[in-house]
């Protein structure tokens, strides 16, 4: 009876979050076949404590079959503009480190969905999800400060792009799994589901942003004969 009560509580939380904005998440798959969308989890005794957008619930560990990365996560942020959250910080970091502002924008969208207080289950923090040791190495004093986080995250992304000759896939793989893992596999994307899906999410979003920009530019030329930005 207790398990049934707990599962009813879980399902109620799922309904509460149905209309909420997506954030980085995973699925907890139960023996019953139910797939629960969670943002973080931890084991407490013989139970999983699941953090969901509707609150915190507990499920017996014996009822959990597997935990999978979320398969459908394809954020499409609004085009980068002065109205974009943290636009000035993104633009400043782009100029300072020579990283495309749209790429920074897409990494933030996938990493934290623009939540400056985001914390992953691996303890990565802030807009660009910096691990504490990485943030310390980059001289960050407050990882939750948007300016510091974007500056340090972009600096680290620039270092990965330089290390892998501007190969975006490898740079993103290193940003997610660490450069030692990329090197361990012969400077190839490590065969980790989380890493490969992360690259796909960022690359897909980045490609869409660039395609949309090209479409607008072509429309501008067709209408006026003047390239956009001239």
């Amino acid at each position: 009876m207790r398990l049934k009560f707990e599962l009813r509580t879980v399902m109620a939380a799922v309904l509460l979050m149905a209309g909420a904005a997506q954030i980085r998440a995973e699925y907890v798959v139960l023996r019953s076949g139910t797939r629960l969308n969670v943002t973080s989890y931890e084991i407490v005794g013989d139970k999983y404590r699941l953090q969901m957008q509707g609150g915190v619930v507990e499920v017996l560990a014996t009822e959990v079959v597997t935990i999978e990365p979320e398969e459908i996560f394809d954020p499409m942020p609004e085009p980068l503009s002065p109205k974009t959250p943290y636009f000035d910080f993104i633009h400043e970091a782009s100029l300072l480190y020579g990283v495309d502002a749209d790429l920074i924008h897409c990494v933030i969208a996938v990493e934290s969905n623009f939540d400056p207080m985001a914390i992953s289950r691996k303890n990565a923090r802030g807009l660009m999800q910096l691990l504490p040791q990485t943030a310390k190495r980059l001289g960050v004093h407050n990882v939750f400060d948007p300016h510091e986080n974007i500056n340090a995250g972009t600096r680290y992304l620039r270092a990965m792009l330089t290390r892998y000759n501007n190969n975006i896939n490898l740079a993103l793989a290193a940003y997610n799994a660490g450069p030692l893992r990329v090197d361990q596999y012969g400077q190839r994307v490590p065969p980790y589901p989380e890493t490969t899906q992360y690259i796909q999410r960022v690359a897909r979003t980045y490609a869409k942003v660039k395609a949309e920009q090209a479409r607008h530019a072509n429309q501008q030329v067709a209408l006026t004969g003047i390239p956009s930005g001239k």
Side-chain angles (χ1 to χ4, degrees):
M1 291 296 295
R2 185 175 181 182
L3 175 59
K4 290 182 179 179
F5 175 77
E6 288 173 344
L7 291 181
R8 283 199 298 269
T9 304
V10 170
M11 295 311 298
V14 171
L15 292 175
L16 283 173
M17 75 174 195
Q22 278 189 312
I23 61 175
R24 186 172 181 170
E26 292 175 306
Y27 287 114
V28 172
V29 183
L30 303 182
R31 290 187 182 279
S32 64
T34 303
R35 292 164 63 85
L36 306 176
N37 190 256
V38 304
T39 56
S40 65
Y41 63 87
E42 61 178 325
I43 296 178
V44 181
D46 62 348
K47 296 180 181 180
Y48 276 94
R49 180 172 294 166
L50 310 177
Q51 178 66 53
M52 307 168 71
Q53 289 184 340
V56 178
V57 296
E58 293 184 346
V59 176
L60 290 172
T62 54
E63 294 301 313
V64 176
V65 177
T66 187
I67 299 175
E68 304 172 347
E70 186 178 12
E71 295 173 357
I72 301 174
F73 185 90
D74 194 12
M76 182 57 186
E78 292 294 322
L80 189 64
S81 75
K83 295 181 180 180
T84 300
Y86 316 113
F87 171 80
D88 289 342
F89 300 155
I90 293 171
H91 184 65
E92 175 187 299
S94 173
L95 293 176
L96 185 60
Y97 298 112
V99 177
D100 187 353
D102 288 318
L103 181 58
I104 302 169
H105 187 207
C106 292
V107 168
I108 293 172
V110 171
E111 287 284 3
S112 67
N113 200 26
F114 300 94
D115 178 3
M117 303 303 293
I119 302 177
S120 77
R121 66 182 181 85
K122 294 183 178 179
N123 206 27
R125 302 180 175 193
L127 289 169
M128 296 188 73
Q129 291 289 276
L130 300 174
L131 290 169
Q133 58 268 32
T134 303
K136 182 178 180 180
R137 188 167 67 249
L138 294 170
V140 175
H141 297 290
N142 180 4
V143 75
F144 296 113
D145 177 77
H147 190 196
E148 280 200 88
N149 193 287
I150 291 173
N151 182 284
T154 303
R155 179 182 166 193
Y156 186 64
L157 184 58
R158 173 71 270 168
M160 296 303 100
L161 286 165
T162 300
R163 181 169 181 149
Y164 298 108
N165 299 313
N166 290 314
N167 183 312
I168 291 179
N169 283 351
L170 290 182
L172 291 174
Y175 192 94
N176 178 263
L180 294 181
R181 296 301 182 192
V182 175
D183 294 344
Q184 177 184 344
Y185 287 93
Q187 294 202 346
R188 295 182 179 179
V189 174
Y192 306 145
E194 177 185 343
T195 299
T196 55
Q197 290 180 18
Y198 170 77
I199 294 169
Q200 290 169 1
R201 291 166 184 169
V202 177
R204 185 165 54 233
T205 305
Y206 186 53
K208 285 183 177 180
V209 168
K210 290 303 185 185
E212 187 66 13
Q213 289 177 351
R215 187 178 70 81
H216 282 302
N218 290 336
Q219 286 179 341
Q220 175 75 11
V221 172
L223 289 172
T224 66
I226 301 173
S228 178
K230 296 294 184 181

